[in-house]
Amino acid sequence: MKNNTKQNGQHEDIKKLGKLIEKIDFAMFTTMDDDGTLRSRPMSTQQVEFDGDLWFFTGADAAKVHEVRRQQQVNVSYANIKKQEYVSVSGQAELVRDRAKIKELWNPIYKAWFPGGVDDPNLALLKVHVEKAEYWDSPNSTVVQLVGFAKALVTGQSYEGGENKKINLASPMA
Amino acid sequence: MKNNTKQNGQHEDIKKLGKLIEKIDFAMFTTMDDDGTLRSRPMSTQQVEFDGDLWFFTGADAAKVHEVRRQQQVNVSYANIKKQEYVSVSGQAELVRDRAKIKELWNPIYKAWFPGGVDDPNLALLKVHVEKAEYWDSPNSTVVQLVGFAKALVTGQSYEGGENKKINLASPMA
């Protein structure tokens, strides 16, 4: 029974995480460079129901693909300052060249920069297998909560006004 | 002459970077955890004229301080989705407990979570010495530019519609 409750809670957390990500299209995708530098760049998350993996289109020859091959650990962050919603996702990234998956996620508007369409040999996907996630979600209703939330923003610590949930997808029974 | 022109260009780039950062209060601050996980959390950038360092208030006992002591390399990203402005800053972070600097950046509203004020022994600063930075800034005027920008977002590559500038602060003559 206890495990069920925990699993249901976990399920709700993942659902909530998926909703937050869905609302914020553009993520900052952080990788580690050859010299240990952490770099981030804006990336558009492919809209599919969140099941623990995030998907991004990429050129197979992009610098970040090289970085991910060397160091799979990445961070994907989502920030909606206006709504004070923030998500940190940690996971392992890998290049996926599976044509079936590319076709599944393909949208004709992408043809502008992959003129060969789904058959463009440089067209590929970056899949991030989520291991850990954290989100900050302010209900945004009272000044106390905003102050509490501001505390989290200034100090990076959790606050009582809103939610700060940590989710561990790698070991759901933990 | 050539060097002067380059330095002036560099100066303009840094000024532009400072302006973009100033407009986006809340950054996602990415550190490396003990197990190699990349984690990010929202942090409020202290508003001072940008000279190559970014400043954040922190509790000296915060988890990220521990992480930064072990691995100084961090990424600080700024995202304004509505304006399609994105900044990636790479640098070395360090804990600063200098009371003069704390007093300089102190604002009485912080007393809510550091009740001891500037003399709270746990109150400290995280300083990020910027080594590399990149920004995406869409002039947002024509459809072509938006498509171009969308390309950068989807593929992580630079686009011609707006600007994608890389700035290297560590070696300004490079």
Side-chain angles (χ1 to χ4, degrees):
Chain A
M1 250 329 243
K2 207 179 166 190
N3 272 349
N4 278 345
T5 310
K6 208 164 194 175
Q7 277 186 301
N8 286 340
Q10 177 90 8
H11 181 74
E12 286 306 308
D13 290 342
I14 293 172
K15 219 169 134 184
K16 179 70 176 287
L17 182 66
K19 269 195 184 168
L20 284 171
I21 289 173
E22 203 181 303
K23 281 195 289 178
I24 309 172
D25 287 354
F26 300 113
M28 289 300 273
F29 192 104
T30 306
T31 54
M32 182 174 273
D33 212 342
D34 285 356
D35 65 0
T37 302
L38 296 180
R39 297 175 61 196
S40 60
R41 74 283 287 159
M43 297 277 289
S44 167
T45 310
Q46 294 307 305
Q47 297 293 338
V48 284
E49 201 187 336
F50 179 65
D51 62 355
D53 293 327
L54 299 175
W55 295 90
F56 304 87
F57 274 106
T58 184
D61 59 0
K64 64 186 171 302
V65 171
H66 170 77
E67 288 166 14
V68 155
R69 279 208 172 109
R70 212 178 144 276
Q71 169 61 264
Q72 281 199 284
Q73 278 291 338
V74 301
N75 183 273
V76 185
S77 69
Y78 298 82
N80 186 336
I81 292 169
K82 206 178 163 190
K83 292 197 174 172
Q84 300 194 321
E85 292 171 345
Y86 302 90
V87 177
S88 164
V89 166
S90 310
Q92 303 264 348
E94 62 171 312
L95 187 72
V96 173
R97 309 195 78 156
D98 176 49
R99 304 325 285 181
K101 191 68 190 178
I102 288 172
K103 275 178 190 159
E104 182 194 324
L105 298 177
W106 179 256
N107 185 315
I109 65 156
Y110 301 152
K111 216 165 180 174
W113 50 93
F114 291 105
V118 286
D119 297 316
D120 187 323
N122 194 40
L123 179 64
L125 291 162
L126 271 174
K127 168 178 154 180
V128 176
H129 182 64
V130 180
E131 293 174 328
K132 291 178 189 165
E134 250 177 290
Y135 65 76
W136 291 256
D137 172 26
S138 172
N140 215 2
S141 51
T142 74
V143 174
V144 175
Q145 284 163 336
L146 287 171
V147 169
F149 186 73
K151 172 178 177 175
L153 287 176
V154 172
T155 67
Q157 285 158 2
S158 62
Y159 66 108
E160 289 177 5
E163 293 182 56
N164 168 220
K165 285 250 190 187
K166 291 191 191 192
I167 307 172
N168 194 329
L169 293 183
S171 47
M173 303 303 286
Chain B
M1 247 331 243
K2 206 178 165 191
N3 271 350
N4 276 347
T5 309
K6 209 164 193 176
Q7 276 186 303
N8 285 342
Q10 177 91 6
H11 182 75
E12 287 306 308
D13 290 343
I14 293 173
K15 219 169 135 183
K16 179 70 176 286
L17 181 67
K19 268 195 187 170
L20 285 169
I21 289 174
E22 202 181 302
K23 282 196 290 181
I24 308 170
D25 288 353
F26 301 114
M28 290 300 271
F29 191 104
T30 306
T31 54
M32 182 173 273
D33 213 343
D34 284 355
D35 65 0
T37 302
L38 296 181
R39 298 175 61 197
S40 60
R41 74 284 288 158
M43 297 277 288
S44 169
T45 310
Q46 294 308 304
Q47 298 293 337
V48 282
E49 202 188 337
F50 179 64
D51 62 355
D53 293 328
L54 298 174
W55 294 91
F56 304 88
F57 273 107
T58 184
D61 59 0
K64 66 186 169 302
V65 172
H66 170 76
E67 288 165 15
V68 157
R69 279 210 171 107
R70 212 178 141 277
Q71 169 60 264
Q72 281 198 284
Q73 278 291 339
V74 301
N75 183 273
V76 185
S77 69
Y78 296 82
N80 185 337
I81 294 169
K82 208 179 162 191
K83 294 198 172 172
Q84 299 194 319
E85 292 171 345
Y86 302 90
V87 177
S88 165
V89 166
S90 311
Q92 302 264 348
E94 63 170 311
L95 188 72
V96 172
R97 307 195 78 156
D98 176 48
R99 304 327 283 181
K101 191 69 190 176
I102 288 172
K103 275 177 191 160
E104 181 194 327
L105 298 177
W106 179 255
N107 185 315
I109 65 158
Y110 302 152
K111 216 164 179 175
W113 49 93
F114 291 106
V118 285
D119 297 316
D120 187 323
N122 194 41
L123 178 64
L125 292 162
L126 271 174
K127 168 180 156 180
V128 176
H129 183 64
V130 180
E131 292 174 328
K132 290 178 189 164
E134 249 177 291
Y135 64 76
W136 292 256
D137 172 24
S138 173
N140 215 2
S141 51
T142 73
V143 174
V144 174
Q145 284 164 335
L146 287 172
V147 168
F149 186 71
K151 172 179 177 176
L153 288 175
V154 171
T155 67
Q157 284 157 3
S158 62
Y159 66 108
E160 287 174 7
E163 294 182 55
N164 169 219
K165 284 250 189 186
K166 291 192 190 191
I167 307 173
N168 194 328
L169 293 184
S171 47
M173 304 302 288

PDB file of all heavy atoms in Angstrom, chain B residues 76-93:
ATOM      1  N   VAL B  76      25.709  29.806 -16.453  1.00  0.00           N
ATOM      2  CA  VAL B  76      24.576  30.635 -16.044  1.00  0.00           C
ATOM      3  C   VAL B  76      23.819  30.993 -17.311  1.00  0.00           C
ATOM      4  O   VAL B  76      24.397  31.584 -18.227  1.00  0.00           O
ATOM      5  CB  VAL B  76      25.042  31.917 -15.317  1.00  0.00           C
ATOM      6  CG1 VAL B  76      23.846  32.693 -14.801  1.00  0.00           C
ATOM      7  CG2 VAL B  76      26.001  31.580 -14.175  1.00  0.00           C
ATOM      8  N   SER B  77      22.548  30.571 -17.388  1.00  0.00           N
ATOM      9  CA  SER B  77      21.798  30.860 -18.612  1.00  0.00           C
ATOM     10  C   SER B  77      20.618  31.787 -18.317  1.00  0.00           C
ATOM     11  O   SER B  77      20.011  31.734 -17.246  1.00  0.00           O
ATOM     12  CB  SER B  77      21.313  29.563 -19.269  1.00  0.00           C
ATOM     13  OG  SER B  77      20.318  28.946 -18.491  1.00  0.00           O
ATOM     14  N   TYR B  78      20.342  32.649 -19.290  1.00  0.00           N
ATOM     15  CA  TYR B  78      19.238  33.610 -19.195  1.00  0.00           C
ATOM     16  C   TYR B  78      18.318  33.377 -20.382  1.00  0.00           C
ATOM     17  O   TYR B  78      18.804  33.314 -21.527  1.00  0.00           O
ATOM     18  CB  TYR B  78      19.773  35.044 -19.243  1.00  0.00           C
ATOM     19  CG  TYR B  78      20.669  35.391 -18.072  1.00  0.00           C
ATOM     20  CD1 TYR B  78      22.011  35.038 -18.062  1.00  0.00           C
ATOM     21  CD2 TYR B  78      20.171  36.079 -16.974  1.00  0.00           C
ATOM     22  CE1 TYR B  78      22.836  35.348 -16.990  1.00  0.00           C
ATOM     23  CE2 TYR B  78      20.980  36.398 -15.894  1.00  0.00           C
ATOM     24  CZ  TYR B  78      22.317  36.026 -15.910  1.00  0.00           C
ATOM     25  OH  TYR B  78      23.113  36.337 -14.840  1.00  0.00           O
ATOM     26  N   ALA B  79      17.029  33.244 -20.138  1.00  0.00           N
ATOM     27  CA  ALA B  79      16.081  32.990 -21.222  1.00  0.00           C
ATOM     28  C   ALA B  79      14.887  33.930 -21.112  1.00  0.00           C
ATOM     29  O   ALA B  79      14.221  33.977 -20.081  1.00  0.00           O
ATOM     30  CB  ALA B  79      15.603  31.539 -21.172  1.00  0.00           C
ATOM     31  N   ASN B  80      14.658  34.693 -22.155  1.00  0.00           N
ATOM     32  CA  ASN B  80      13.426  35.474 -22.252  1.00  0.00           C
ATOM     33  C   ASN B  80      12.706  34.989 -23.510  1.00  0.00           C
ATOM     34  O   ASN B  80      12.980  35.445 -24.620  1.00  0.00           O
ATOM     35  CB  ASN B  80      13.734  36.975 -22.341  1.00  0.00           C
ATOM     36  CG  ASN B  80      12.456  37.808 -22.310  1.00  0.00           C
ATOM     37  OD1 ASN B  80      11.375  37.323 -22.645  1.00  0.00           O
ATOM     38  ND2 ASN B  80      12.578  39.058 -21.907  1.00  0.00           N
ATOM     39  N   ILE B  81      11.813  34.017 -23.301  1.00  0.00           N
ATOM     40  CA  ILE B  81      11.165  33.345 -24.423  1.00  0.00           C
ATOM     41  C   ILE B  81      10.332  34.321 -25.247  1.00  0.00           C
ATOM     42  O   ILE B  81      10.345  34.295 -26.464  1.00  0.00           O
ATOM     43  CB  ILE B  81      10.293  32.173 -23.902  1.00  0.00           C
ATOM     44  CG1 ILE B  81      11.216  31.097 -23.297  1.00  0.00           C
ATOM     45  CG2 ILE B  81       9.446  31.571 -25.009  1.00  0.00           C
ATOM     46  CD1 ILE B  81      10.484  30.034 -22.524  1.00  0.00           C
ATOM     47  N   LYS B  82       9.638  35.221 -24.539  1.00  0.00           N
ATOM     48  CA  LYS B  82       8.761  36.163 -25.234  1.00  0.00           C
ATOM     49  C   LYS B  82       9.554  37.015 -26.224  1.00  0.00           C
ATOM     50  O   LYS B  82       9.111  37.259 -27.339  1.00  0.00           O
ATOM     51  CB  LYS B  82       8.057  37.054 -24.202  1.00  0.00           C
ATOM     52  CG  LYS B  82       6.713  37.554 -24.671  1.00  0.00           C
ATOM     53  CD  LYS B  82       6.023  38.411 -23.626  1.00  0.00           C
ATOM     54  CE  LYS B  82       4.924  39.227 -24.259  1.00  0.00           C
ATOM     55  NZ  LYS B  82       4.409  40.256 -23.326  1.00  0.00           N
ATOM     56  N   LYS B  83      10.715  37.473 -25.806  1.00  0.00           N
ATOM     57  CA  LYS B  83      11.548  38.318 -26.682  1.00  0.00           C
ATOM     58  C   LYS B  83      12.571  37.509 -27.463  1.00  0.00           C
ATOM     59  O   LYS B  83      13.366  38.071 -28.205  1.00  0.00           O
ATOM     60  CB  LYS B  83      12.260  39.378 -25.836  1.00  0.00           C
ATOM     61  CG  LYS B  83      11.307  40.389 -25.214  1.00  0.00           C
ATOM     62  CD  LYS B  83      12.039  41.630 -24.778  1.00  0.00           C
ATOM     63  CE  LYS B  83      11.063  42.714 -24.327  1.00  0.00           C
ATOM     64  NZ  LYS B  83      11.741  43.854 -23.719  1.00  0.00           N
ATOM     65  N   GLN B  84      12.569  36.201 -27.263  1.00  0.00           N
ATOM     66  CA  GLN B  84      13.528  35.319 -27.924  1.00  0.00           C
ATOM     67  C   GLN B  84      14.970  35.773 -27.712  1.00  0.00           C
ATOM     68  O   GLN B  84      15.765  35.854 -28.657  1.00  0.00           O
ATOM     69  CB  GLN B  84      13.190  35.206 -29.411  1.00  0.00           C
ATOM     70  CG  GLN B  84      11.792  34.620 -29.621  1.00  0.00           C
ATOM     71  CD  GLN B  84      11.568  34.186 -31.049  1.00  0.00           C
ATOM     72  OE1 GLN B  84      11.962  34.849 -31.987  1.00  0.00           O
ATOM     73  NE2 GLN B  84      10.931  33.041 -31.227  1.00  0.00           N
ATOM     74  N   GLU B  85      15.256  36.106 -26.477  1.00  0.00           N
ATOM     75  CA  GLU B  85      16.621  36.475 -26.115  1.00  0.00           C
ATOM     76  C   GLU B  85      17.178  35.403 -25.182  1.00  0.00           C
ATOM     77  O   GLU B  85      16.529  35.035 -24.195  1.00  0.00           O
ATOM     78  CB  GLU B  85      16.646  37.835 -25.403  1.00  0.00           C
ATOM     79  CG  GLU B  85      16.275  38.988 -26.324  1.00  0.00           C
ATOM     80  CD  GLU B  85      16.096  40.303 -25.588  1.00  0.00           C
ATOM     81  OE1 GLU B  85      15.984  40.298 -24.340  1.00  0.00           O
ATOM     82  OE2 GLU B  85      16.059  41.341 -26.262  1.00  0.00           O
ATOM     83  N   TYR B  86      18.361  34.932 -25.527  1.00  0.00           N
ATOM     84  CA  TYR B  86      18.973  33.861 -24.744  1.00  0.00           C
ATOM     85  C   TYR B  86      20.453  34.156 -24.544  1.00  0.00           C
ATOM     86  O   TYR B  86      21.128  34.620 -25.466  1.00  0.00           O
ATOM     87  CB  TYR B  86      18.818  32.512 -25.452  1.00  0.00           C
ATOM     88  CG  TYR B  86      17.373  32.151 -25.711  1.00  0.00           C
ATOM     89  CD1 TYR B  86      16.746  32.530 -26.896  1.00  0.00           C
ATOM     90  CD2 TYR B  86      16.622  31.474 -24.751  1.00  0.00           C
ATOM     91  CE1 TYR B  86      15.407  32.225 -27.127  1.00  0.00           C
ATOM     92  CE2 TYR B  86      15.289  31.166 -24.977  1.00  0.00           C
ATOM     93  CZ  TYR B  86      14.680  31.546 -26.165  1.00  0.00           C
ATOM     94  OH  TYR B  86      13.360  31.257 -26.386  1.00  0.00           O
ATOM     95  N   VAL B  87      20.939  33.882 -23.336  1.00  0.00           N
ATOM     96  CA  VAL B  87      22.348  34.111 -23.025  1.00  0.00           C
ATOM     97  C   VAL B  87      22.909  32.875 -22.332  1.00  0.00           C
ATOM     98  O   VAL B  87      22.276  32.307 -21.438  1.00  0.00           O
ATOM     99  CB  VAL B  87      22.518  35.340 -22.090  1.00  0.00           C
ATOM    100  CG1 VAL B  87      23.984  35.518 -21.707  1.00  0.00           C
ATOM    101  CG2 VAL B  87      21.968  36.607 -22.733  1.00  0.00           C
ATOM    102  N   SER B  88      24.087  32.447 -22.760  1.00  0.00           N
ATOM    103  CA  SER B  88      24.821  31.387 -22.073  1.00  0.00           C
ATOM    104  C   SER B  88      26.139  31.962 -21.592  1.00  0.00           C
ATOM    105  O   SER B  88      26.911  32.520 -22.371  1.00  0.00           O
ATOM    106  CB  SER B  88      25.079  30.227 -23.029  1.00  0.00           C
ATOM    107  OG  SER B  88      26.082  29.360 -22.493  1.00  0.00           O
ATOM    108  N   VAL B  89      26.379  31.849 -20.299  1.00  0.00           N
ATOM    109  CA  VAL B  89      27.602  32.371 -19.708  1.00  0.00           C
ATOM    110  C   VAL B  89      28.350  31.198 -19.068  1.00  0.00           C
ATOM    111  O   VAL B  89      27.777  30.430 -18.294  1.00  0.00           O
ATOM    112  CB  VAL B  89      27.268  33.443 -18.637  1.00  0.00           C
ATOM    113  CG1 VAL B  89      28.491  33.751 -17.785  1.00  0.00           C
ATOM    114  CG2 VAL B  89      26.733  34.716 -19.297  1.00  0.00           C
ATOM    115  N   SER B  90      29.615  31.039 -19.413  1.00  0.00           N
ATOM    116  CA  SER B  90      30.440  29.984 -18.820  1.00  0.00           C
ATOM    117  C   SER B  90      31.531  30.641 -17.986  1.00  0.00           C
ATOM    118  O   SER B  90      32.138  31.616 -18.421  1.00  0.00           O
ATOM    119  CB  SER B  90      31.104  29.143 -19.916  1.00  0.00           C
ATOM    120  OG  SER B  90      30.156  28.733 -20.876  1.00  0.00           O
ATOM    121  N   GLY B  91      31.755  30.093 -16.799  1.00  0.00           N
ATOM    122  CA  GLY B  91      32.791  30.702 -15.975  1.00  0.00           C
ATOM    123  C   GLY B  91      33.138  29.886 -14.761  1.00  0.00           C
ATOM    124  O   GLY B  91      32.651  28.765 -14.570  1.00  0.00           O
ATOM    125  N   GLN B  92      34.010  30.467 -13.949  1.00  0.00           N
ATOM    126  CA  GLN B  92      34.475  29.857 -12.716  1.00  0.00           C
ATOM    127  C   GLN B  92      33.750  30.520 -11.554  1.00  0.00           C
ATOM    128  O   GLN B  92      33.790  31.740 -11.419  1.00  0.00           O
ATOM    129  CB  GLN B  92      35.982  30.112 -12.531  1.00  0.00           C
ATOM    130  CG  GLN B  92      36.859  29.611 -13.659  1.00  0.00           C
ATOM    131  CD  GLN B  92      37.430  28.235 -13.376  1.00  0.00           C
ATOM    132  OE1 GLN B  92      37.342  27.748 -12.238  1.00  0.00           O
ATOM    133  NE2 GLN B  92      37.998  27.608 -14.380  1.00  0.00           N
ATOM    134  N   ALA B  93      33.142  29.698 -10.701  1.00  0.00           N
ATOM    135  CA  ALA B  93      32.417  30.252  -9.550  1.00  0.00           C
ATOM    136  C   ALA B  93      33.238  30.083  -8.279  1.00  0.00           C
ATOM    137  O   ALA B  93      33.959  29.098  -8.121  1.00  0.00           O
ATOM    138  CB  ALA B  93      31.074  29.545  -9.397  1.00  0.00           C
TER     139      ALA B  93
END
